[in-house]
Amino acid sequence: MTVQAPETNADVTIFYADWCPFCAKLIKNLDRTETPYELVDVEGDNADDINEWIKSVNDGNRIIPTVLYSDGTHETNPPASSVRNKQEELAGA
């Protein structure tokens, strides 16, 4: 079964939860370099659809942070440097 990726207008969308230390680390490191991103709480509105997509790209596991890029690619728990590089590529820098 194919699960449609959540819609976003950002180059970088991070699916996160407040209680997740890996999410906090990624966000802190991106903020330090002023890398733009959009946050989506996996426990907020539309959580069921979002979590189904997260599980669909992580072999059935609900792993966060999962990052969705505007080109349709994604990464699971990536280092901030990888997210920065991809954001720069998508922004045409």
Side-chain angles (χ1 to χ4, degrees), residues 10-14 23-39 67-69 75 78-93:
D11 285 338
V12 176
T13 303
I14 301 170
C23 299
K25 179 181 178 184
L26 177 60
I27 292 165
K28 177 184 172 192
N29 288 336
L30 291 175
D31 286 348
R32 189 172 44 86
T33 57
E34 299 180 4
T35 304
Y37 58 84
E38 180 177 299
L39 286 176
V67 180
L68 175 63
Y69 300 109
E75 288 186 277
S81 59
S82 177
V83 177
R84 274 193 294 277
N85 290 340
K86 186 68 172 186
Q87 191 281 327
E88 289 171 2
E89 174 189 316
L90 292 168

Side-chain angles (χ1 to χ4, degrees), residues 29-88:
N29 288 336
L30 291 175
D31 286 348
R32 189 172 44 86
T33 57
E34 299 180 4
T35 304
Y37 58 84
E38 180 177 299
L39 286 176
V40 176
D41 189 340
V42 299
E43 296 181 340
D45 294 339
N46 302 320
D48 289 342
D49 292 339
I50 290 167
N51 285 303
E52 282 306 309
W53 176 77
I54 290 171
K55 289 191 292 185
S56 78
V57 299
N58 289 300
D59 298 321
N61 297 302
R62 183 176 169 246
I63 303 171
I64 52 174
T66 296
V67 180
L68 175 63
Y69 300 109
S70 60
D71 65 359
T73 61
H74 56 83
E75 288 186 277
T76 302
N77 196 15
S81 59
S82 177
V83 177
R84 274 193 294 277
N85 290 340
K86 186 68 172 186
Q87 191 281 327
E88 289 171 2

